[in-house]
Structures are given as C-alpha cells and as structure tokens.
Amino acid sequence: MLIALPLLVIPVVLYNLVVLTSLLGGGATAAAAGGADAILRDPMFSIPMASGTSWNVGPGDLILMLSLVLLFFELLKSTSSQKVAIVNHALSMILFVICLVEFLLIRGFATSTFFLIVTMVMLDVLAGFIVTIISARKDLDFGATA
C-alpha cells in the first residue's frame, strides 16, 4: 500500500522541518522576517566551476533537486493502470491542497523554493488525472467495435 503514497510528500515534509526549525530557533518573527528563506539559501557547500567562480548549494537547492527526481518517478507511476493509482491520485490532490494552504496562509512558506514544490505537486496531480483519463478513453475506444 506504500505505492499509493505520493513521493512528493518527502520534500514537503523536509521543507516543513526547515520551517519548523526556523520557527523554534528564532521564534515566529524570525520565520516572518525570512528565517526559512535564509536557512534555505545558506550555502551548505560550494563547487568550484571552470569559470573560476564557485557554485553555492544550499538546502533549498537540494530539496528542489530531490523534488524533481521524485516528480519524475511520480510521472512514471501515473502511467500505471492499477487500482492503487486512483488512491495515489486522491492522496496527491490532498497533498496539493495542504501545500497550497501552507503557501498562502502560513508564514515561512511564501518562498520561491516552496512555490516550486507546490508547482511540482500540482503537475503530479494534473499528470495523474490526465493520464488516467486518456488511458480510460483508449480502453473505451478499443472496446467499442462497430
């Protein structure tokens, strides 16, 4: 039954942990003043580039990279015609609503990083429903013989 769980819940939980950490570390005013955004942009490591500059990678970048990889696997899962795919679509929709509410109403979630995560969750929902509808239509067309 774990296959029904949307994989994009992982980066959402990671982001929630970052915001929770910034709220607990600096109080509610720190998160309101961009505490979560500052934590996400703070470089964890840097990679020297051939141009002579260095590429600074922060926690937000890693969460976005993980989100993109998981979105790829979610899109692959959406092509499945198993009955558990419907549960996955429903859970993805619930995750999207939760993310949208967090983005719009909770301090610390109005960042570009979380907006991109919300967009990926929305794309997962749309892809799941579109693929299901198209495959159902093909099954219907194939079954109709005239």
Side-chain angles (χ1 to χ4, degrees):
M1 195 65 179
L2 282 177
I3 196 164
L5 189 69
L7 295 174
L8 287 173
V9 77
I10 296 169
V12 171
V13 168
L14 286 174
Y15 191 92
N16 277 285
L17 289 174
V18 168
V19 171
L20 181 63
T21 304
S22 71
L23 284 174
L24 293 177
T29 56
D37 200 34
I39 291 172
L40 291 168
R41 293 178 191 264
D42 190 30
M44 292 175 62
F45 58 91
S46 63
I47 300 170
M49 304 302 287
S51 64
T53 61
S54 61
W55 173 31
N56 296 324
V57 180
D61 302 322
L62 294 177
I63 291 173
L64 285 176
M65 185 187 74
L66 175 67
S67 301
L68 286 170
V69 171
L70 293 176
L71 177 62
F72 171 74
F73 287 111
E74 275 295 317
L75 292 176
L76 289 179
K77 278 177 33 177
S78 70
T79 61
S80 164
S81 62
Q82 299 174 357
K83 292 180 183 180
V84 74
I86 295 172
V87 176
N88 180 279
H89 299 328
L91 292 175
S92 294
M93 179 60 92
I94 291 168
L95 179 64
F96 174 67
V97 169
I98 290 170
C99 289
L100 190 60
V101 168
E102 285 180 333
F103 180 72
L104 294 173
L105 301 179
I106 301 176
R107 292 182 178 169
F109 287 88
T111 63
S112 296
T113 302
F114 196 70
F115 174 75
L116 291 173
I117 293 171
V118 172
T119 304
M120 287 182 228
V121 173
M122 181 190 65
L123 289 174
D124 174 36
V125 169
L126 290 174
F129 286 122
I130 290 170
V131 167
T132 301
I133 289 169
I134 289 173
S135 65
R137 187 180 339 160
K138 285 183 180 179
D139 288 344
L140 186 63
D141 288 343
F142 181 72
T145 56

